[in-house]
């Protein structure tokens, strides 16, 4: 597959030297970037909701007229360094999850003297909580549909090395408003999207969290004990939501937070009185399994998605990320060597704090901690998260990621391959990678500069390097503009 290089010499956006005021801003900023004025690009509309730290409003992009949701966090409310770090981690996690269809997409961020603003995908269907509050209890068929959608979210998060730690109906949005012709109808619960990753954390297999976080009604007992916990807390919270969908009331209730916590620690929800006699045995079994006190005995997200009760209601799902993962890795394998090399250069310049999610994914697969992944480790890891990919498909994935063909996937190879899975390339990263190639700073990459970079990265002998260069279809000038470079990486 050739890469077509035009004679277009459009110059890349340059990174001007920062002014003294910008330097001051970068030092003071929470996200570590120059300040930008939100209202230069967006018109802020009506308020959608507010919490302890943030106000969310509709906003409209001035250049396109497209609607987004703007979450604004006043800096005066972020008193401690821990609160600032939680916000920074929230942004990093949302960037890591970019492209996951069950997660609200973060488009961009703005920061000024007073606030940090997150511009996100707008979901016009509103909160699941509002629908549950208005409806009360649901039929088993609709409840199964909702919990299936929630567990797709949980599966995707856990696959990507993230635990939400604050799953509740308020943190799920319906992507679209349910309409049939001109008449309102049942909401479409098949495409719920998760929001609010302010309390989320990366999963580190073998390492347990100690932070007491979450919302009283939905928090798992191991969080309250502070004895360490893992991603199983999300299964507990989803089990609480399922109980509420079937009954219209929470399983653990109290007049204040202390009473709720006592009920959670007791972990003895009523499953005998109305409406439980009219609820199916398989529904009860699933609720009981998800609300098991011992986290090790709770089902995984994949187990829930394949549970018999979901089968009974026609919404059981083979794991939602399998097909996408396989297709993306096949696409990565189909890239020519130069495209892969460009991704490797980009992976090298991404700051460590932006690689945390990918690092968590790598360590969750590298079970013997020898800093390389064997095909056997990859297969066991995918089975552990409930993947149904077969041996031949896993072989395709392993061979795609193994750039040097030594039978092992090292950390850099994994990061490069998973970058393609995420499909997110920041402008600043693309520009820095292009500038690394462009050694004479003339805003174009020549064949000699390509050869120099390939030699620097030890991409093989002279014949191999010439083969890589020959894959690139060049025109008369034989050079790559910034625009061509970006098209090649994103293709």
């Amino acid at each position: 597959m050739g890469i077509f290089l035009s004679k277009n010499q459009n110059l890349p956006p340059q990174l001007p030297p920062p002014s003294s005021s910008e330097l001051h801003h970068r030092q003071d900023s929470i996200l570590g970037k120059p300040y930008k004025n939100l209202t230069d690009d967006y018109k802020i509309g009506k308020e959608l909701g507010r919490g302890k730290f943030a106000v969310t409003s509709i906003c409209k992009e001035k250049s396109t007229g497209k609607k987004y949701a703007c979450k604004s966090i006043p800096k005066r409310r972020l008193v401690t360094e821990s609160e600032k770090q939680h916000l920074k981690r929230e942004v990093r996690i949302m960037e890591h999850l970019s492209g996951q269809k069950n997660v609200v997409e973060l488009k961009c961020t703005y920061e000024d003297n007073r606030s940090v603003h997150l511009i996100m995908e707008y979901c016009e269907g509103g909160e699941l909580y509002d629908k549950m509050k208005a409806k009360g209890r649901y039929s088993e068929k609709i409840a199964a549909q909702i919990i299936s959608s929630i567990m797709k979210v949980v599966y995707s998060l856990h696959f990507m090395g993230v635990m939400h730690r604050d799953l509740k109906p308020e943190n799920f949005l319906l992507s679209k408003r349910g309409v049939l012709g001109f008449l309102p109808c049942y909401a479409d619960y098949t495409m719920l999207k998760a929001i609010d990753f302010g309390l989320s954390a990366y999963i580190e297999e073998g390492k347990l969290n100690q932070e007491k976080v979450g919302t009283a009604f939905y928090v798992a007992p191991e969080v309250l004990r502070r004895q360490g916990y893992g991603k199983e807390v999300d299964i507990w919270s989803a089990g609480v939501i399922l109980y509420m969908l079937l009954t219209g009331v929470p399983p653990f209730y109290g007049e204040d937070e202390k009473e709720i916590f006592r009920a959670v620690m007791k972990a003895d929800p009523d499953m005998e009185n109305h409406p439980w006699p009219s609820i199916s045995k398989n529904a009860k079994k699933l609720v009981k399994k998800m609300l098991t006190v011992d986290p090790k005995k709770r089902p995984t997200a994949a187990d829930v998605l394949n549970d018999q009760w979901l089968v009974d209601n026609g919404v059981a799902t083979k794991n939602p990320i399998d097909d996408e993962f396989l297709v993306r890795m096949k696409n990565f394998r189909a890239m020519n060597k130069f495209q892969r090399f460009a991704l490797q250069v980009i992976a090298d310049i991404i700051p460590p704090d932006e690689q945390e999610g990918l690092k968590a994914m790598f360590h969750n697969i590298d079970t013997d901690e020898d800093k390389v992944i064997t095909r056997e480790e990859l297969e066991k890891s995918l089975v552990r998260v409930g993947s149904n990919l077969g041996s031949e498909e896993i072989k395709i994935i392993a061979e795609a990621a193994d750039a040097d063909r030594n039978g092992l996937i090292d950390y850099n190879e994994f990061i490069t391959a998973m970058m393609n899975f995420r499909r997110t390339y920041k402008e600043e990263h693309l520009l820095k990678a292009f500038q690394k190639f462009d050694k004479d700073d003339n805003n174009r990459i020549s064949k000699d500069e390509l050869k120099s970079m390939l030699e620097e990265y030890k991409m093989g002998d002279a014949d191999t390097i010439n083969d890589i260069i020959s894959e690139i279809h060049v025109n008369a000038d034989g050079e790559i503009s910034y625009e061509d470079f970006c098209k090649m990486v994103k293709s």
Side-chain angles (χ1 to χ4, degrees):
M1 180 175 68
I3 303 169
F4 291 86
L5 307 179
S6 70
K7 293 190 71 172
N8 186 338
Q9 295 183 7
N10 290 343
L11 301 185
Q14 297 299 299
L15 294 176
S19 65
S20 58
S21 61
E22 280 185 321
L23 281 173
H24 174 68
H25 288 167
R26 287 178 183 173
Q27 290 167 358
D28 287 352
S29 77
I30 292 172
L31 301 183
K33 296 179 181 179
Y35 287 177
K36 293 189 294 181
N37 190 353
L38 174 69
T39 54
D40 287 347
D41 301 318
Y42 292 88
K43 182 179 180 181
I44 306 301
K46 70 175 183 178
E47 183 178 312
L48 294 171
R50 61 175 56 219
K52 179 182 177 182
F53 292 102
V55 176
T56 304
S57 307
I58 291 179
C59 68
K60 185 179 288 188
E61 190 174 26
K62 291 180 179 180
S63 61
T64 64
K66 188 173 180 180
K67 286 183 180 179
Y68 291 92
C70 175
K71 180 178 178 179
S72 298
I73 304 98
K75 290 183 176 180
R76 58 183 167 78
R77 295 186 183 174
L78 303 175
V79 178
T80 67
E81 184 61 29
S82 175
E83 289 169 344
K84 294 175 184 177
Q85 288 304 314
H86 272 98
L87 175 57
K88 189 173 182 179
R89 185 171 63 188
E90 177 179 8
V91 171
R92 291 284 179 259
I93 285 176
M94 291 193 74
E95 290 173 344
H96 172 61
L97 296 172
S98 179
Q100 299 304 306
K101 61 185 179 181
N102 299 109
V103 174
V104 165
E105 188 80 12
L106 175 66
K107 182 178 187 290
C108 58
T109 60
Y110 285 75
E111 184 174 354
D112 53 43
N113 284 309
R114 296 181 177 181
S115 301
V116 174
H117 309 278
L118 313 186
I119 306 299
M120 301 177 290
E121 174 185 1
Y122 173 56
C123 296
E124 62 183 17
E127 290 182 4
L128 173 62
Y129 175 79
D130 291 332
K131 303 294 183 292
M132 290 174 63
K133 188 177 178 182
K135 176 70 176 174
R137 54 180 293 235
Y138 285 82
S139 69
E140 288 194 37
K141 194 168 190 65
I142 300 297
Q145 188 182 96
I146 295 171
I147 205 63
S148 174
S149 191
I150 287 173
M151 296 314 299
K152 287 175 186 176
V153 172
V154 176
Y155 182 90
S156 296
L157 294 183
H158 291 180
F159 182 87
M160 295 293 287
V162 173
M163 52 181 161
H164 193 284
R165 301 203 301 180
D166 194 25
L167 291 180
K168 55 186 177 182
E170 295 93 322
N171 285 340
F172 287 96
L173 301 180
L174 282 75
S175 57
K176 295 186 181 298
R177 185 182 293 116
V179 293
L180 181 62
F182 296 101
L183 299 174
C185 71
Y186 290 113
D188 179 7
Y189 293 109
T190 60
M191 195 54 188
L192 291 175
K193 298 205 174 200
I195 62 168
D196 199 348
F197 293 86
L199 297 179
S200 299
Y202 294 113
I203 299 166
E204 296 183 73
E205 292 294 340
K207 294 183 180 179
L208 298 177
N209 278 252
Q210 300 288 340
E211 288 181 294
K212 186 179 176 182
V213 298
T215 302
F217 283 119
Y218 309 93
V219 70
E222 62 266 30
V223 176
L224 300 179
R225 292 194 198 100
R226 292 199 177 190
Q227 294 177 342
Y229 59 88
K231 62 182 179 290
E232 296 83 8
V233 298
D234 289 343
I235 305 298
W236 175 280
S237 300
V240 172
I241 296 172
L242 177 55
Y243 185 104
M244 294 172 67
L245 290 169
L246 293 169
T247 66
V249 296
F252 311 109
Y253 184 75
E255 294 296 330
D256 56 32
E257 201 172 70
K258 286 184 179 180
E259 285 190 13
I260 297 170
F261 288 162
R262 279 197 290 268
V264 171
M265 294 297 288
K266 188 178 178 183
D268 186 26
D270 174 22
M271 299 189 72
E272 301 297 330
N273 296 309
H274 178 80
W276 285 106
S278 62
I279 295 173
S280 69
K281 289 182 179 179
N282 282 335
K284 291 178 186 178
K285 282 182 182 178
L286 180 57
V287 172
K288 286 180 178 178
K289 285 189 288 187
M290 295 175 77
L291 296 181
T292 300
V293 173
D294 184 351
K296 294 179 181 178
K297 294 181 179 178
R298 281 177 216 149
T300 64
D303 292 335
V304 177
L305 285 169
N306 291 283
D307 186 82
Q308 184 59 47
W309 179 63
L310 270 68
V311 173
D312 296 343
N313 286 280
V315 291
T317 308
K318 297 300 179 185
N319 306 308
I321 215 161
D322 277 2
D323 290 341
E324 183 183 5
F325 188 41
L326 183 60
V327 167
R328 291 280 173 86
M329 295 305 287
K330 282 182 176 179
N331 289 342
F332 181 68
R333 188 176 65 167
M335 285 181 174
N336 64 36
K337 293 175 184 177
F338 178 52
Q339 286 176 307
R340 291 194 190 196
F341 177 52
L343 286 181
Q344 183 180 340
V345 173
I346 293 171
D348 283 349
I349 64 174
I350 294 176
D353 64 340
E354 294 186 33
Q355 291 189 17
E356 283 186 283
L358 295 174
K359 185 178 179 181
M361 292 180 72
F362 180 84
H363 288 307
N364 289 342
I365 298 173
D366 178 25
T367 51
D368 59 9
E369 299 184 359
D370 61 356
K371 299 183 180 179
V372 292
I373 298 170
T374 64
R375 182 179 160 188
E376 290 73 24
E377 280 181 310
L378 179 63
E379 188 164 2
K380 286 179 182 178
S381 176
L382 290 173
V383 168
R384 191 172 72 245
V385 297
S387 171
N388 289 302
L389 293 171
S391 294
E392 195 59 36
E393 293 166 321
I394 291 172
K395 180 182 177 183
I396 290 171
I397 293 169
E399 290 178 350
D402 180 17
D404 59 11
R405 299 290 184 264
N406 68 349
L408 302 170
I409 304 168
D410 64 30
Y411 180 71
N412 287 336
E413 288 174 331
F414 182 83
I415 296 298
T416 303
M418 294 312 296
M419 274 180 56
N420 179 64
F421 175 64
R422 291 197 311 187
R423 304 293 286 176
T424 53
Y425 309 106
K426 288 187 178 180
E427 184 76 24
E428 63 205 75
H429 297 157
L430 290 168
L431 179 56
K432 286 179 181 177
F434 179 83
Q435 290 171 336
K436 194 168 182 179
F437 279 95
D438 179 23
K439 295 183 180 297
D440 62 5
D441 297 324
N442 72 339
N443 298 312
R444 293 181 298 278
I445 302 172
S446 68
K447 282 190 175 182
D448 286 341
E449 286 171 328
L450 281 176
K451 185 176 181 181
S452 175
M453 279 290 286
L454 289 163
E455 289 172 345
E456 183 181 325
Y457 272 73
K458 299 178 181 178
M459 294 297 289
D461 56 21
D463 289 340
T464 303
I465 289 173
N466 287 331
D467 285 344
I468 294 173
I469 293 174
S470 69
E471 289 180 342
I472 305 165
H473 181 80
V474 298
N475 60 11
D477 65 10
E479 295 180 323
I480 305 174
S481 71
Y482 178 68
E483 183 182 57
D484 293 324
F485 180 80
C486 292
K487 284 180 180 177
M488 177 271 295
V489 172
K490 295 177 180 179
S491 65

